[in-house]
Amino acid sequence: MDINYVPTICPYCSCGCGMYLVIRDGMIIGQEPWKEHPVNEGANCPKGKNAYQYIYSEDRLKMPLVRKNGAFQEVSWGEALDLIVTQLREATPEDFGFIASCRNSNEDAYVMQKFTRVVMGTNSVEYCGRLCHSPAAAALIPAMGSGAMQTSQPEIELADCIFVAGVNLQETFPLIARRVSRAKAKGAKVIYTDPRNTATARYLADIHLQLKSGTDAALINAMMSIILAEGLENKDFIASRAAGFDELRNFLSKVDLKQAEEITGVPLEKMREAAITYAKAERGCILYDQGISQHYVGTDNVRDHANLALLCGHAGKPGSGINSMRGQINGEGSGDMGCLCVFYPGFKRVGEETAKFFEEAWGVANLPTKPGLTYIDMLYKCPYLYIVGGDPMMAVPDVNNVKKALEKANFLVVQDIFPTEIAKLAHVVLPAATWVEREATHTWIDRRVQKVNRVVEPPGETKPDWWIICQLAEKMGYKDKFDFASAGEIFEEIRSCVPQYKGITYDRLENKVGGIHWPCPSEDHPGTPTMFLQKFNTPDGLGHFQVVEFKPPAEVPDDQYPYVLTTGRSIFHYHTGAMTRRTPRLVDEVPRGFVQVNPEDASKEGVKDRDTVVLETRRGSIEAEARITDEVRPGLLFIPIHFPDSCANALTISALDPSAKCAETKVCAVKIEVKR
Ligand code: SF4
């Protein structure tokens, strides 16, 4: 009996670790380390080690389903697609919205946005990056010219100060935590901001700034004010590579450090230590994630971290910069491919000029020139919705309200690998192939494009996402614009109209373990691990300071809801949990949702460890198992986001960032009581 070891890349977080899958008789029976892979050098976290198990889950979708008389019935592809076409022909451009996912490949995402723009005539196409990292583009394009990660993963080890901001690195990016740990072994200092005393605080941080939730801008302003008072700003860098310093300096001169101490709850001496440590570093590297961005002031928070980097000259060098840690496999690529209502592929901003460019590139006329609806707006406003690979019923704040809106939708198509929570509301459910059942590229956290190949046959009638969309486009009368026979043909079209990908080919990717970092302008270009070495990508080539005034969270505790609720991830689960909750080994570790409660608060509320408690906010209530721990400070409760039975987003608030339209899922007011 032959056993084959086939190399592939982990389907979960955006590190992009390599692994070998062990194949026998056409089935994956195990996973082995890929020691030569430069991202992970043989190591994988628990999710990666068990990455293939879910594809054999019994409830895998294998046939198209159409709702008839209130119940789903299996139908042929022809019947399902014909029904969708009939319905979509009823939709005006204003009626229709397409929601893609960070889990789609580049080729899938590219075809989805092209379908939305060319066939449906609207820019209302988004992906779940809107819910977590849209502040990166909103803040960093004006500040530096790109919202992408600025240094590569291996280069993090070059930094001598790593500022880990709002990301529990040990659990959410374990292989990047290993890089930080290696840098630390060489003498680097690690500063960490998080309201929780997480594993990252305990094992990685030298300076843990345990700030109150939602007070990041007050902290950063205070740190910058200390840096200026100490004369530690990088004067040469500011003079040669930045603009807007005088406005920032004037603003910071008014910062009251005592008030900052009260707002943040961080002792002034700790702020001072962190500020001086970061400012004095040769290479300071900011790694930030949702703890910074998932606020109604997320864009402001990112702007302020960019200010800090520019102030100290920590950008444009390997192992430096301000780096947004996109959490999911194709968090970078789905945005690069244009699944955003304000950007066509290559982050070309929606408008007349961009529409003209793509009309020529695609051989079409009348492409939409106005921004479409954002992710959350679509859920409330579009009567015709097409959702692929994501689960808004888990991922979007205030889901009880979202559900009411979706129940009124004229027509909802869900395309996925499992019957997710959103699929339960759909009119048609289409079965998609998983990452090992088709060929594709993804773009991982550090703009690293890698290719994955088909390892096993797709089960039943499952199909690659791009194939399904192309079939629909053909039936809608656009065969010649979507006449792709393979993912490789789609990638060739991507290369022709996304300049960052121009020099990357399937052949090059097949032969380059670890992939190629965009921008890669030509086929003989090695790729770009570090951004902005000579200049920033702004029109004048300079980094731009943007003054940020601190604003408190949208909802603060009161007598009725006396605690702060925050949300996050577990190392054993991934995002909405659709894959990891179907992975027995991971479910053994963390089988259900829970809430972390500080011992002081537990005693006040009469909660004992493992009690079932009821959590209630102004949006809804859930039950969860109490875990009493000093990982959370008094007054703070934490729940993970992966479990539908304890759905965090039934509680969260949809206060939106005015620039990025990202919601404040990291802070709201909540009460807790033992279930009677
Ligand atoms: Fe997979 Fe991320 Fe874990 Fe690597 S760190 S094995 S990419 S989940």
Side-chain angles (χ1 to χ4, degrees):
M1 203 172 295
D2 281 350
I3 288 189
N4 292 317
Y5 291 77
V6 183
T8 190
I9 311 296
C10 177
Y12 286 120
C13 90
S14 56
C15 289
C17 299
M19 63 176 68
Y20 283 98
L21 293 173
V22 187
I23 316 290
R24 187 177 64 194
D25 293 340
M27 291 268 295
I28 306 172
I29 58 166
Q31 183 261 8
E32 288 289 328
W34 184 352
K35 295 208 170 91
E36 301 76 27
H37 196 283
V39 169
N40 56 312
E41 299 156 351
N44 291 116
C45 79
K47 286 192 288 292
K49 283 181 182 155
N50 298 282
Y52 67 92
Q53 292 178 15
Y54 71 84
I55 74 165
Y56 298 120
S57 175
E58 277 180 7
D59 65 345
R60 191 70 202 274
L61 293 169
K62 291 184 184 149
M63 287 289 292
L65 303 173
V66 167
R67 190 182 291 281
K68 294 182 179 174
N69 302 319
F72 282 122
Q73 287 184 17
E74 291 187 353
V75 298
S76 66
W77 272 108
E79 183 177 340
L81 294 177
D82 285 346
L83 174 61
I84 296 170
V85 168
T86 305
Q87 289 288 329
L88 294 192
R89 287 211 163 112
E90 300 289 313
T92 66
E94 291 71 36
D95 287 342
F96 179 76
F98 198 117
I99 295 180
S101 162
C102 293
R103 292 193 280 289
N104 299 135
S105 69
N106 287 327
E107 293 78 358
D108 295 335
Y110 179 82
V111 166
M112 288 169 197
Q113 62 78 34
K114 186 175 174 184
F115 177 87
T116 307
R117 290 176 164 124
V118 171
V119 179
M120 302 307 296
T122 173
N123 283 314
S124 293
V125 54
E126 290 259 301
Y127 77 116
C128 46
R130 172 67 66 191
L131 306 175
C132 51
H133 275 289
S134 48
L140 296 179
I141 290 177
M144 297 183 185
S146 169
M149 188 162 171
Q150 298 174 7
T151 195
S152 73
Q153 292 179 69
E155 288 170 348
I156 292 169
E157 294 181 30
L158 301 175
D160 57 341
C161 177
I162 301 170
F163 187 165
V164 179
V167 48
N168 178 10
L169 221 50
Q170 290 276 24
E171 295 210 54
T172 52
F173 298 94
L175 269 294
I176 291 181
R178 187 172 73 157
R179 304 241 176 236
V180 174
S181 191
R182 286 176 177 173
K184 207 169 137 76
K186 289 186 267 176
K189 293 283 179 227
V190 179
I191 302 165
Y192 178 50
T193 52
D194 196 315
R196 292 195 301 142
N197 182 27
T198 62
T200 304
R202 297 194 299 274
Y203 303 121
L204 270 189
D206 295 293
I207 306 168
H208 178 202
L209 306 173
Q210 196 172 1
L211 76 180
K212 293 180 196 165
S213 297
T215 62
D216 304 84
L219 174 74
I220 300 300
N221 283 342
M223 285 175 63
M224 289 193 291
S225 142
I226 292 165
I227 289 166
L228 285 175
E230 298 283 334
L232 291 173
E233 73 274 23
N234 188 328
K235 297 175 186 68
D236 291 345
F237 184 92
I238 293 167
S240 60
R241 295 201 57 178
F245 177 60
D246 288 345
E247 290 91 323
L248 182 78
R249 184 173 47 197
N250 288 343
F251 169 75
L252 292 174
S253 68
K254 295 173 207 121
V255 166
D256 178 338
L257 293 178
K258 267 281 157 220
Q259 196 182 27
E261 195 175 28
E262 274 163 35
I263 291 170
T264 62
V266 177
L268 185 51
E269 275 321 300
K270 270 207 158 182
M271 287 191 224
R272 189 182 303 281
E273 186 189 359
I276 291 172
T277 304
Y278 179 77
K280 282 190 169 173
E282 276 296 307
R283 285 170 204 253
C285 181
I286 298 175
L287 305 174
Y288 82 88
D289 195 10
Q290 296 175 353
I292 299 304
S293 58
Q294 283 185 326
H295 295 273
Y296 86 106
V297 292
T299 302
D300 277 351
N301 287 344
V302 180
R303 283 181 183 128
D304 227 14
H305 285 76
N307 288 336
L308 178 65
L310 291 171
L311 186 70
C312 300
H314 291 326
K317 279 185 278 193
S320 73
I322 165 166
N323 299 287
S324 68
M325 311 284 287
R326 294 165 194 275
Q328 298 197 57
I329 177 170
N330 209 33
E332 181 59 54
S334 293
D336 297 345
M337 294 302 115
C339 288
L340 285 165
C341 70
V342 288
F343 292 112
Y344 275 72
F347 282 92
K348 292 194 169 75
R349 197 168 283 280
V350 161
E352 301 278 349
E353 200 182 316
T354 298
K356 199 156 172 290
F357 174 91
F358 282 97
E359 283 166 5
E360 275 171 30
W362 294 339
V364 296
N366 301 322
L367 283 175
T369 56
K370 302 263 182 313
L373 295 174
T374 56
Y375 190 123
I376 294 177
D377 274 352
M378 275 193 241
L379 295 173
Y380 286 105
K381 293 181 183 165
C382 291
Y384 296 84
L385 270 168
Y386 200 120
I387 298 177
V388 183
D391 192 349
M393 286 308 298
M394 289 284 294
V396 172
D398 196 5
V399 285
N400 294 331
N401 251 331
V402 172
K403 187 174 182 202
K404 281 185 211 150
L406 289 175
E407 282 169 345
K408 289 190 207 138
N410 288 8
F411 192 64
L412 171 61
V413 182
V414 171
Q415 186 169 307
D416 214 314
I417 58 177
F418 292 118
T420 54
E421 298 302 304
I422 187 76
K424 292 174 189 166
L425 303 176
H427 298 92
V428 177
V429 179
L430 301 177
T434 68
W435 105 110
V436 280
E437 295 156 358
R438 46 80 168 140
E439 178 183 50
T441 63
H442 299 91
T443 305
W444 276 269
I445 190 166
D446 47 357
R447 299 166 282 103
R448 179 190 300 269
V449 184
Q450 299 184 90
K451 181 167 180 285
V452 291
N453 291 321
R454 185 196 272 209
V455 176
V456 290
E457 291 299 310
E461 287 293 315
T462 60
K463 301 287 183 195
D465 287 306
W466 65 263
W467 182 91
I468 301 168
I469 303 300
C470 289
Q471 293 297 305
L472 268 181
E474 181 179 333
K475 282 179 181 282
M476 299 280 285
Y478 290 82
K479 178 173 169 50
D480 59 327
K481 307 300 171 211
F482 290 82
D483 196 14
F484 300 113
S486 67
E489 287 187 9
I490 301 169
F491 195 77
E492 282 302 302
E493 187 170 305
I494 293 170
R495 293 181 59 216
S496 72
C497 58
V498 181
Q500 296 92 325
Y501 286 68
K502 189 172 177 203
I504 303 174
T505 66
Y506 265 30
D507 275 353
R508 288 188 74 189
L509 294 176
E510 290 286 4
N511 295 310
K512 179 85 172 56
V513 174
I516 299 170
H517 304 270
W518 69 250
C520 180
S522 62
E523 287 183 40
D524 57 0
H525 191 282
T528 310
T530 321
M531 302 265 272
F532 314 138
L533 287 174
Q534 312 299 332
K535 60 184 178 103
F536 293 103
N537 235 5
T538 48
D540 59 8
L542 298 173
H544 287 255
F545 290 108
Q546 303 168 89
V547 168
V548 172
E549 283 194 51
F550 166 71
K551 297 185 197 80
E555 188 180 66
V556 291
D558 55 20
D559 290 346
Q560 201 182 353
Y561 298 100
Y563 294 93
V564 170
L565 177 74
T566 195
T567 62
R569 305 181 210 163
S570 151
I571 191 171
F572 296 105
H573 287 279
Y574 179 69
H575 202 48
T576 57
M579 299 187 286
T580 49
R581 283 185 285 105
R582 290 173 171 90
T583 302
R585 180 74 188 79
L586 300 174
V587 173
D588 284 349
E589 293 289 345
V590 182
R592 65 186 74 83
F594 58 86
V595 54
Q596 291 183 329
V597 189
N598 182 272
E600 218 176 272
D601 297 330
S603 143
K604 204 167 18 173
E605 303 294 338
V607 174
K608 292 198 263 334
D609 200 42
R610 309 286 157 164
D611 271 354
T612 301
V613 294
V614 179
L615 299 164
E616 185 190 311
T617 68
R618 290 181 175 85
R619 275 72 55 195
S621 67
I622 62 166
E623 293 179 9
E625 187 180 271
R627 303 269 175 90
I628 298 178
T629 169
D630 57 11
E631 209 168 280
V632 284
R633 57 191 297 159
L636 179 68
L637 307 178
F638 166 84
I639 46 177
I641 59 172
H642 318 291
F643 302 95
D645 291 343
S646 303
C647 180
N649 280 320
L651 304 176
T652 51
I653 187 169
S654 66
L656 295 185
D657 181 319
S659 308
K661 305 290 180 193
C662 186
E664 180 144 87
T665 41
K666 282 287 183 264
V667 193
C668 69
V670 65
K671 73 177 173 190
I672 179 171
E673 57 189 25
V674 179
K675 187 186 175 193
R676 306 282 166 212

